[in-house]
Amino acid sequence: MTGFTEGSLNSRLKDLNSSQQSIQTLSLWLIHHRKYAHTVVKIWSREILAGSESKQLTLMYLANDIIQNGKKKGPEYGKEFGKELAKAFKQISLNNCSSKTRQSLTRLLNIWEERGVYSKIQIDEFKDAFGKESAKKPTGEPPSKKVKHSHNHKSKKTKSQNNGIKKDKEVIVEVDGTKELHVTLSPKTPVNDPPEPEELIKALNDLENAPSCDAVVRERISKLPPEIADVSLLSQLKGKDEGEELLRKVNDAVALLTDYNTRLVCEMEDRKKVFSMLHDFIQSQRDLIDQAEQRLQEYQGKLQKVCQVRQEVNTHLQNLPDLAQLPSVKGGLAPLPSAGDLFTVG
């Protein structure tokens, strides 16, 4: 993904439209750059204040997508948007928005309330800012487009086989009278939620500074005197002072080794977690590759059929008569023979 700058965000907001693909693409990009949540919401709020009614509605749908899909990986967005939404609803209401827009945003508020996206107190604050009409509670999701879900009935897996398995989703989206097929691929095997690439990279980088790589401590351990670990050397002690000195060295060595062993145990746990993260990530990527290959084969087959039809059409066109070579009929056709001419007996 491209890096985050205020300029790139302004450009993306300018190109944003009400289609599901446009909203979801920008939402994923912003969730990826969640550390800039405060800046993002401030710019979003500024666009709400200056935008047209249709643009305001699209921006509210964008906020909804970010808030709900970022609950796990971008919870900071929910907090930041919570500070600005009352102002946004008030601005939209002051612009005397149409009944259709008001109904859509009222549905949005009710969905947030039903799903616990925001507390009852916050929802009431948003509704008060939006006006009394928002207190009415129509049912249903806020539609930004007509959506039909296409189900694949070819699968013959049993219910037990499908438990925990995600399926790729095909959605036909109708935008301005044009139907678009959107396909979202998902891992087919029941793996844990795969980590984000940034999380995996951070975990791997942390292992570079693991205790097993601590050269300083390892050197200190290698230079410990042999008498602290060899009981047979105790007989060589010549007095109390030497015994106390050896006891001090033993205690220091025990503290050093105990601390180092504790760190190594923690490192082992971290490595197990990283191994699990790598397993889930690699498995999910393999599943996505398999699905992409299947899709590629499917569409290559469709392309082959289309090319075959095109070739047949071209062949048919070549076999049609060339109208340019037909005799000119600008002066009119020759008169048809009369009945007398047809039946004249010589």
Side-chain angles (χ1 to χ4, degrees), residues 60-72:
M60 292 299 291
Y61 284 148
L62 173 65
N64 173 62
D65 198 282
I66 295 172
I67 293 168
Q68 298 210 54
N69 290 324
K71 277 185 178 180
K72 181 177 180 181

Side-chain angles (χ1 to χ4, degrees), residues 46-243:
R46 186 179 66 200
E47 292 293 320
I48 281 280
L49 296 177
S52 63
E53 180 179 329
S54 59
K55 189 70 172 182
Q56 288 174 332
L57 182 59
T58 301
L59 288 169
M60 292 299 291
Y61 284 148
L62 173 65
N64 173 62
D65 198 282
I66 295 172
I67 293 168
Q68 298 210 54
N69 290 324
K71 277 185 178 180
K72 181 177 180 181
K73 298 177 180 177
E76 48 269 63
Y77 273 114
K79 298 177 183 178
E80 294 295 336
F81 274 113
K83 301 174 185 177
E84 299 291 334
L85 282 169
K87 187 192 302 182
F89 278 112
K90 183 175 182 180
Q91 180 63 34
I92 297 174
S93 180
L94 290 175
N95 289 345
N96 295 323
C97 61
S98 64
S99 58
K100 184 178 180 181
T101 297
R102 181 171 291 276
Q103 184 180 21
S104 298
L105 293 180
T106 301
R107 289 173 180 169
L108 193 62
L109 284 168
N110 292 324
I111 290 169
W112 288 352
E113 183 176 6
E114 292 168 2
R115 297 181 180 178
V117 176
Y118 287 107
S119 66
K120 182 67 166 60
I121 296 176
Q122 286 177 294
I123 295 295
D124 289 341
E125 180 185 357
F126 300 156
K127 288 183 177 181
D128 289 341
F130 195 37
K132 293 183 179 179
E133 292 185 31
S134 63
K136 299 177 182 178
K137 188 174 182 179
T139 59
E141 297 273 352
S144 58
K145 72 292 292 179
K146 297 178 181 178
V147 178
K148 296 181 181 178
H149 293 276
S150 176
H151 301 282
N152 187 352
H153 297 285
K154 295 181 180 180
S155 175
K156 296 183 179 180
K157 293 184 178 180
T158 64
K159 183 178 180 180
S160 60
Q161 289 175 312
N162 284 325
N163 283 340
I165 300 178
K166 297 180 180 179
K167 297 183 178 180
D168 52 305
K169 182 180 179 182
E170 290 186 0
V171 180
I172 299 176
V173 180
E174 186 173 337
V175 181
D176 298 331
T178 302
K179 293 184 178 180
E180 303 173 0
L181 176 63
H182 294 174
V183 180
T184 303
L185 300 180
S186 301
K188 294 292 184 181
T189 55
V191 297
N192 297 326
D193 187 18
E196 289 292 314
E198 293 80 7
E199 298 175 11
L200 188 56
I201 292 171
K202 183 180 183 302
L204 292 172
N205 287 336
D206 290 341
L207 288 180
E208 293 182 357
N209 301 319
S212 60
C213 302
D214 192 338
V216 176
V217 175
R218 292 166 66 91
E219 184 178 1
R220 287 178 60 189
I221 293 174
S222 67
K223 291 182 178 180
L224 289 174
E227 58 266 22
I228 67 172
D230 192 346
V231 179
S232 64
L233 297 178
L234 292 177
S235 60
Q236 301 179 6
L237 294 176
K238 297 178 181 180
K240 181 179 179 180
D241 292 340
E242 290 186 3

